[in-house]
């Protein structure tokens, strides 16, 4: 069961926030800031879930508002897996 992330409690411009999560429920308050990712295990050397989203994260550093790009993505983590 996922935990809800309360981004409204963070005093940061939401145009700069990327919520990298494997469950949509975690992003209920700010779904447009959600970047879905496959579940990953930090202790599994063959796990490449984080590596798979690096190109997206790299591209997002050039935009003024990450939401303008994140709103275009599919709403399932499956596109991040290979």
């Amino acid at each position: 069961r996922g935990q809800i992330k309360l981004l409204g409690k963070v005093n940061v411009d939401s145009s700069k926030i990327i919520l990298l999560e494997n469950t949509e429920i975690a992003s209920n308050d700010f779904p447009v800031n959600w970047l879905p990712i496959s579940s990953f295990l930090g202790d599994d050397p063959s796990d490449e879930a984080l590596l798979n989203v690096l190109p997206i994260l790299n591209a997002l550093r050039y935009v003024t508002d990450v939401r303008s790009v994140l709103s275009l993505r599919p709403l399932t983590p499956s596109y991040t897996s290979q």
Side-chain angles (χ1 to χ4, degrees):
R1 185 175 153 143
Q3 297 179 354
I4 295 174
K5 309 303 190 272
L6 301 173
L7 296 181
K9 303 264 183 191
V10 179
N11 190 20
V12 177
D13 180 2
S14 61
S15 70
K16 307 292 183 208
I17 294 175
I18 301 168
L19 182 57
L20 192 61
E21 264 293 336
N22 65 343
T23 60
E24 186 175 5
I25 188 128
S27 64
N28 276 352
D29 288 346
F30 292 84
V32 75
N33 292 83
W34 177 46
L35 178 59
I37 185 171
S38 300
S39 294
F40 60 92
L41 304 168
D43 60 349
D44 181 356
S46 66
D47 189 341
E48 296 185 349
L50 291 173
L51 292 174
N52 292 338
V53 296
L54 280 179
I56 299 166
L57 294 174
N58 187 43
L60 287 173
R61 69 187 175 129
Y62 296 106
V63 301
T64 304
D65 187 338
V66 297
R67 298 169 298 185
S68 66
V69 175
L70 293 177
S71 65
L72 302 173
R73 88 272 184 240
L75 293 177
T76 64
S78 61
Y79 83 100
T80 59
S81 61
Q82 295 187 6

